[in-house]
Amino acid sequence: MGPTKKELKKQMELLRKQQEEQEQEDSDEIDQEEEDDFEEGDDLDGQDIEDEEEHDDGEDLEEGDDDEDDEDEELDEDGEEIPKLQPNSKLPRKLPNDKSDDEDEGDMEAKAKEQYMMGLKGQPDQAILNMKINDILHILSKFKENSKDGRSRQSYLEELTEYFMQYYNYNRDLVQLFMTMFNPNELVQFFESNEQQRPLTIRTNTLKTRRKELAQILIQRGVNLDSLAEWTKVGLKIYDSKVPIGATPEYLAGHYMLQSASSFLPVIALAPQPNEKILDMAAAPGGKTTYIAQLMKNTGVLFANDVKADRNKALIFNVQRMGINNCIVTNYDGRKLNKVIHNCDRVLLDAPCTGLGIIARDPSVKATKQLIDVQKHAHLQRELILSAIDCCKKGGYVVYSTCSVTVQENESVVDYALKNRFVKLVDMGIEVGEEGYTKYQDKRFDPQLKKTRRILPHVHNMDGFYVAKLKKLENGPRVTKQEVVNDHLDAMENEDVENVNINNKNKKSDHKLKVQKGQQGVIEVTANGEDYDWNEEKEQEKIEKTEETDQKENEEQSKQAKKDQKKPKGEKKAQNETQVKKQDNKQVKKESNDQANGEKKLSKKEKKLAQKAQEKKEKQNNQVKQQDEEENVEEEVEEKPAAAKEQKQDKKNGQKKQNQKSEQKNTEQVAKQPLNKQQEKKEQQKPQKNNNAQKTENEVEEEVEVEEKAEKKVKDFKGKNNNQNNKKFNKFNKHQKNRPFNKQQGKHQFQKNKKVKTE
Ligand SMILES: C[S@@+](CC[C@H](N)C(=O)[O-])C[C@H]1O[C@@H](n2cnc3c(N)ncnc32)[C@H](O)[C@@H]1O
């Protein structure tokens, strides 16, 4: 039975009223936001809300938009506490898809009817939605058993998405995004935890007081508090208070900072030390900066940077309030900071992000943040993290953190840094949190990502956060093999052979290809192989061997690390230093292997062009020397066959010794076995003197070949038929002259000879 006309009219009336109330509330909210705007001198603290604010910053930067997100500041001008957390309510006042403004009578009538039929009064029935959600969760938990209506899993998931959107008031993008990270049951827990208020937390400023003293004073003022957690000695959690926590005399005197528990972690991971040079790349309003300074004991130099000049006001205020005097506040785009600040011992990048880990503190993101925002932030974060690494010294540390739970803004960014810079992930000494993801959808991240930490609101009862600690192993960009190849080929394609320098530096590091930073198209190729001859098999063997050794070393290291945890502090430190050195060496070794690998792939094209360059040089040299050589030619020709014989003889001597036993065997065997046709033929071809049972057949063949070749070359030369041969021959003779002979080994020193040749 449908509703009567009277009932419908009543329903419409009710809707109209609700709409008016809603509009009134909205306009009140806007007024409030304007009042709260930082520009008007409201909050100068903001340390706890800093993470809520950060999510728009990346965009603002791109769009030149400023500070529209400061409405979440915690205190007003007089230090009155503004309730930071929205009241918990899963009942939306206004659904995201409501089009309440332009509805006409017909629409409203239909809507009223629909709502009436559903038993709703202006809003979806939460109880019914809840029930439906639970039903689907039940079906999905044991899909084969529980699904009886022949529907696909996907269609249930789609229905569930709709219910989640309505029940928890998220937009579709976000529900779908979270569904890629959590299974449906976990997702419900995540959504639920975002509806919970968590106790306010503060951090004691140990530059001015001690936690115990602070706690006593606050208790006297009527604050109900407790220590925050086992992993911090400076944190306190406030259950309730008779006084505004952001306006006590202790607060104004800088004895503490309002700061979320999760926000402690990046600084703990950074582990700042006194007298160091540290950079906080995205610092405003200074929650973490002031903690870093405190751990540095107000010594050394701390650069606190933020791209937003306005937010820097709050940063400066906090730095002054907390009595910090080792801090320089700068106002740069973090992406360009690497051109200004270098060689820092440690860098913190508490990156601007979507804030999708702190929804409980800023429920507005449920409706406002979309996938495109995640992608935009991820892009900015990638640029910032590379810059942060570039500001750090070799051997220094970079901590990357966000207050988002999305993989795109976290693991994906760190994985990108691992691929593009010489860094590795290290343990952070943080007990709390879950391992970072190494798999996400079709992506596979570096296994090291396990060392990063995810703090999840539904698991750890803290704001969602992500922390990663990187150690910088080497300066400069890590150029991927493919990039090296591409760059090199680009240079080659431009026929820019002038820029390809083939230097024989006589290093033992074999082929080494290096793209020099900042010199586009200039590639330095160092090689000690003769004329770029690449012995594929040998090199592959070497690479495989090194990889094996690396793997073994890694395993040993992790075993050692476990042992080290039990060692006393001093011993640990010394051990760490040795490990750092070892790791550095290993990295350099790996780099050269990677580069070797890259070069290996350079293929024929590169070889040809490199040869071209070499030939060009040789031509020039030859032209100058040609006259000279022609004069000396007769002399050299006479020396040449002797030199060739000498060389062959040396080789044979060496070989003879090595093969003596096997030769003996071979000869015996040959003598015993009936000769086959081929052998017979060879035997017939052999000159008399080679019918020596001590020599192998190969040797004999080689000798004949050498002699034949030598004779041919002499003929060619004497007849002066071939100019090319002429040059080669002269060069060959010259080398023979220069080749020192190692009497002991009975060998010419090939390595030196190569050097002479290339030089
Ligand atoms: C998460 S907040 C920082 C919170 C701060 N670390 C703290 O603990 O109080 C992110 C900050 O990044 C800043 N930011 C955004 N884009 C930036 C950029 N390109 N360079 C430097 N800072 C940037 C924002 O202005 C914002 O203050």
Side-chain angles (χ1 to χ4, degrees):
M1 232 181 72
T4 63
K5 258 198 164 176
K6 209 177 167 192
E7 282 169 333
L8 270 176
K9 218 176 175 185
K10 240 184 174 183
Q11 187 67 37
M12 280 168 62
E13 207 49 53
L14 200 74
L15 271 172
R16 238 186 232 119
K17 261 189 187 171
Q18 280 178 346
Q19 206 175 314
E20 275 168 25
E21 277 169 24
Q22 184 67 62
E23 277 165 14
Q24 187 56 45
E25 270 179 46
D26 285 349
S27 79
D28 287 346
E29 265 179 25
I30 289 163
D31 291 346
Q32 184 63 44
E33 283 170 17
E34 279 166 4
E35 274 169 33
D36 289 345
D37 197 293
F38 183 76
E39 291 288 320
E40 300 187 297
D42 276 338
D43 179 313
L44 283 176
D45 180 298
Q47 59 273 37
D48 205 14
I49 344 91
E50 76 235 15
D51 301 326
E52 295 170 42
E53 293 162 352
E54 75 205 57
H55 48 267
D56 281 331
D57 296 328
E59 274 167 71
D60 293 348
L61 180 79
E62 311 273 26
E63 294 158 17
D65 188 0
D66 248 350
D67 283 336
E68 93 275 19
D69 52 347
D70 281 339
E71 73 268 22
D72 297 316
E73 300 288 346
E74 213 169 46
L75 305 166
D76 71 4
E77 199 169 12
D78 305 313
E80 281 301 315
E81 204 174 357
I82 296 163
K84 181 159 54 74
L85 298 174
Q86 305 283 329
N88 276 343
S89 168
K90 283 178 282 184
L91 293 171
R93 284 175 304 173
K94 184 180 170 186
L95 289 170
N97 296 332
D98 279 359
K99 45 165 192 169
S100 45
D101 292 343
D102 305 316
E103 285 162 332
D104 58 26
E105 285 272 306
D107 279 347
M108 286 184 73
E109 198 169 312
K111 194 173 172 187
K113 194 172 175 180
E114 186 190 325
Q115 285 173 349
Y116 184 89
M117 293 299 282
M118 286 169 71
L120 308 173
K121 290 201 174 93
Q123 297 182 40
D125 188 327
Q126 299 297 295
I128 292 175
L129 279 174
N130 196 330
M131 220 171 63
K132 287 180 173 176
I133 288 172
N134 281 326
D135 282 352
I136 297 182
L137 290 179
H138 174 71
I139 292 170
L140 290 175
S141 67
K142 281 186 183 168
F143 188 67
K144 273 187 189 164
E145 264 178 48
N146 298 340
S147 97
K148 289 183 178 109
D149 50 9
R151 279 175 63 190
S152 70
R153 200 182 165 87
Q154 187 55 34
S155 90
Y156 278 110
L157 287 171
E158 277 160 19
E159 195 182 338
L160 190 62
T161 304
E162 296 293 332
Y163 297 149
F164 279 154
M165 285 166 62
Q166 292 173 33
Y167 191 67
Y168 292 109
N169 206 16
Y170 285 80
N171 66 42
R172 184 179 301 278
D173 260 17
L174 289 187
V175 175
Q176 285 175 344
L177 178 66
F178 290 134
M179 272 190 163
T180 64
M181 297 174 53
F182 306 117
N183 68 44
N185 278 313
E186 197 179 0
L187 187 51
V188 169
Q189 289 169 28
F190 174 72
F191 285 148
E192 284 295 328
S193 75
N194 290 341
E195 306 295 322
Q196 309 302 320
Q197 282 194 34
R198 289 187 199 90
L200 185 67
T201 54
I202 62 172
R203 172 176 54 80
T204 317
N205 180 10
T206 50
L207 294 174
K208 293 199 169 187
T209 185
R210 294 193 328 184
R211 181 168 70 168
K212 204 172 163 190
E213 284 167 23
L214 176 66
Q216 278 167 357
I217 294 174
L218 289 179
I219 288 167
Q220 279 167 18
R221 293 195 187 280
V223 181
N224 181 11
L225 52 76
D226 199 356
S227 58
L228 175 56
E230 274 177 14
W231 47 264
T232 170
K233 287 180 179 158
V234 290
L236 288 168
K237 59 182 161 199
I238 315 284
Y239 296 116
D240 54 70
S241 171
K242 286 180 186 160
V243 288
I245 296 296
T248 64
E250 289 71 32
Y251 172 81
L252 295 171
H255 287 199
Y256 62 90
M257 191 84 172
L258 300 168
Q259 190 163 32
S260 75
S262 296
S263 289
F264 287 39
L265 298 174
V267 182
I268 293 173
L270 190 70
Q273 303 296 316
N275 296 311
E276 284 187 328
K277 177 176 163 183
I278 297 183
L279 165 66
D280 186 354
M281 189 176 254
K288 296 176 191 75
T289 306
T290 51
Y291 192 11
I292 295 170
Q294 158 179 338
L295 293 175
M296 292 171 83
K297 300 198 163 70
N298 239 344
T299 64
V301 184
L302 172 57
F303 292 99
N305 176 74
D306 203 281
V307 75
K308 286 190 178 176
D310 275 351
R311 284 173 69 89
N312 271 355
K313 289 178 193 167
L315 171 64
I316 293 166
F317 170 83
N318 280 320
V319 165
Q320 287 175 345
R321 183 175 66 83
M322 303 291 273
I324 285 152
N325 52 30
N326 66 343
C327 183
I328 297 169
V329 175
T330 60
N331 178 212
Y332 283 92
D333 182 338
R335 292 172 290 187
K336 292 173 188 153
L337 210 56
N338 55 351
K339 296 193 174 78
V340 191
I341 298 173
H342 310 111
N343 280 320
C344 292
D345 295 289
R346 288 162 213 269
V347 179
L348 172 65
L349 172 56
D350 185 33
C353 70
T354 53
L356 287 172
I358 52 165
I359 296 168
R361 290 208 270 134
D362 183 8
S364 71
V365 302
K366 290 196 226 176
T368 57
K369 289 294 166 221
Q370 290 176 324
L371 201 57
I372 184 75
D373 299 304
V374 176
Q375 284 159 353
K376 272 188 189 175
H377 278 96
H379 183 80
L380 174 65
Q381 287 154 353
R382 284 173 179 221
E383 292 182 283
L384 286 170
I385 199 169
L386 294 192
S387 175
I389 294 166
D390 293 344
C391 291
C392 184
K393 71 171 189 187
K394 184 178 160 185
Y397 295 93
V398 176
V399 168
Y400 174 80
S401 61
T402 72
C403 61
S404 173
V405 291
T406 70
V407 183
Q408 290 86 339
E409 296 176 82
N410 297 324
E411 284 90 343
S412 198
V413 175
V414 176
D415 192 62
Y416 175 79
L418 288 171
K419 285 194 171 88
N420 286 281
R421 291 292 184 273
F422 293 105
V423 286
K424 63 168 185 173
L425 280 161
V426 291
D427 287 328
M428 287 177 272
I430 295 177
E431 304 288 303
V432 63
E434 281 186 355
E435 281 179 358
Y437 292 174
T438 52
K439 288 179 195 169
Y440 173 66
Q441 294 182 307
D442 59 345
K443 292 190 175 65
R444 296 292 172 272
F445 301 125
D446 193 308
Q448 293 181 61
L449 261 301
K450 274 187 183 171
K451 289 186 177 164
T452 65
R453 282 278 163 271
R454 299 192 136 251
I455 317 296
L456 299 167
H458 58 291
V459 182
H460 307 103
N461 193 23
M462 284 157 73
D463 287 342
F465 235 82
Y466 177 79
V467 192
K469 184 174 186 178
L470 296 154
K471 183 177 169 67
K472 181 166 173 177
L473 303 168
E474 204 46 77
N475 289 321
R478 183 195 286 275
V479 187
T480 61
K481 284 175 208 165
Q482 199 49 51
E483 280 166 345
V484 173
V485 174
N486 292 343
D487 285 355
H488 199 59
L489 290 179
D490 281 352
M492 296 291 188
E493 259 161 31
N494 295 334
E495 291 286 73
D496 197 1
V497 279
E498 298 298 322
N499 283 338
V500 180
N501 306 314
I502 301 160
N503 299 327
N504 185 337
K505 294 197 174 161
N506 211 22
K507 281 179 191 166
K508 283 193 174 173
S509 57
D510 297 316
H511 295 244
K512 195 175 178 193
L513 195 102
K514 199 169 153 192
V515 176
Q516 303 219 317
K517 195 187 166 192
Q519 298 179 346
Q520 223 182 2
V522 179
I523 296 156
E524 188 193 30
V525 182
T526 60
N528 74 347
E530 207 175 12
D531 287 342
Y532 266 79
D533 270 345
W534 181 265
N535 186 336
E536 294 258 346
E537 280 173 20
K538 243 186 181 179
E539 293 310 320
Q540 191 52 41
E541 254 175 47
K542 268 189 214 168
I543 289 159
E544 277 166 12
K545 259 188 191 172
T546 328
E547 276 170 2
E548 264 175 41
T549 336
D550 278 359
Q551 208 180 335
K552 273 181 196 164
E553 272 179 35
N554 277 342
E555 283 167 12
E556 273 168 26
Q557 267 180 17
S558 62
K559 274 182 199 167
Q560 194 59 38
K562 274 179 195 166
K563 279 184 197 169
D564 289 348
Q565 282 182 345
K566 291 168 194 167
K567 284 184 183 172
K569 262 187 189 175
E571 209 179 326
K572 253 190 201 174
K573 206 182 165 191
Q575 181 99 17
N576 281 345
E577 277 163 13
T578 346
Q579 249 176 359
V580 168
K581 279 181 193 162
K582 264 193 190 172
Q583 198 61 43
D584 285 354
N585 288 340
K586 207 178 96 187
Q587 190 57 37
V588 172
K589 217 165 79 187
K590 194 164 183 273
E591 180 193 350
S592 101
N593 267 338
D594 284 350
Q595 283 165 335
N597 244 341
E599 193 194 356
K600 201 179 116 186
K601 288 184 184 170
L602 291 186
S603 79
K604 289 171 190 169
K605 197 171 182 180
E606 185 217 15
K607 282 185 190 173
K608 264 188 188 172
L609 287 160
Q611 252 174 341
K612 242 189 197 176
Q614 182 75 359
E615 278 169 18
K616 208 177 170 183
K617 258 189 193 176
E618 279 174 11
K619 242 185 197 176
Q620 283 169 353
N621 287 342
N622 283 344
Q623 273 171 7
V624 179
K625 289 173 189 169
Q626 202 165 7
Q627 246 183 322
D628 243 24
E629 285 173 348
E630 273 169 9
E631 280 166 19
N632 298 326
V633 138
E634 300 280 347
E635 249 180 79
E636 288 173 351
V637 169
E638 271 164 33
E639 284 172 18
K640 193 257 153 195
K645 260 190 178 175
E646 194 181 270
Q647 186 190 7
K648 194 66 222 171
Q649 195 57 44
D650 297 338
K651 228 180 181 178
K652 273 191 321 190
N653 286 345
Q655 264 183 355
K656 258 184 194 172
K657 274 184 188 172
Q658 278 180 3
N659 298 333
Q660 220 163 4
K661 283 181 188 173
S662 61
E663 280 169 14
Q664 197 93 32
K665 271 185 190 172
N666 281 344
T667 327
E668 280 165 18
Q669 275 176 359
V670 170
K672 280 177 197 168
Q673 283 167 11
L675 293 175
N676 63 26
K677 274 185 188 173
Q678 216 182 346
Q679 279 172 325
E680 274 172 22
K681 210 177 175 184
K682 277 180 188 168
E683 285 293 316
Q684 283 162 13
Q685 282 170 354
K686 277 180 198 170
Q688 280 289 313
K689 63 171 180 174
N690 289 340
N691 287 340
N692 181 352
Q694 296 291 318
K695 285 182 182 175
T696 62
E697 285 192 359
N698 284 344
E699 264 182 295
V700 174
E701 271 176 14
E702 270 173 0
E703 271 180 11
V704 173
E705 252 174 49
V706 169
E707 276 167 19
E708 279 171 6
K709 271 184 193 168
E711 273 167 325
K712 197 174 174 264
K713 276 182 182 169
V714 174
K715 266 187 199 169
D716 285 350
F717 178 74
K718 277 186 175 166
K720 289 186 183 174
N721 291 330
N722 190 334
N723 207 20
Q724 193 71 30
N725 275 349
N726 186 359
K727 278 180 212 162
K728 274 188 189 170
F729 195 46
N730 290 337
K731 214 170 138 201
F732 176 61
N733 274 329
K734 214 174 172 197
H735 288 170
Q736 297 301 329
K737 270 186 181 175
N738 290 331
R739 280 171 70 196
F741 186 80
N742 186 335
K743 282 182 185 168
Q744 254 187 337
Q745 292 178 359
K747 279 181 185 172
H748 284 287
Q749 291 172 339
F750 279 94
Q751 206 58 37
K752 274 193 183 172
N753 190 34
K754 274 178 212 164
K755 192 182 174 191
V756 171
K757 184 181 174 186
T758 330
E759 276 168 4

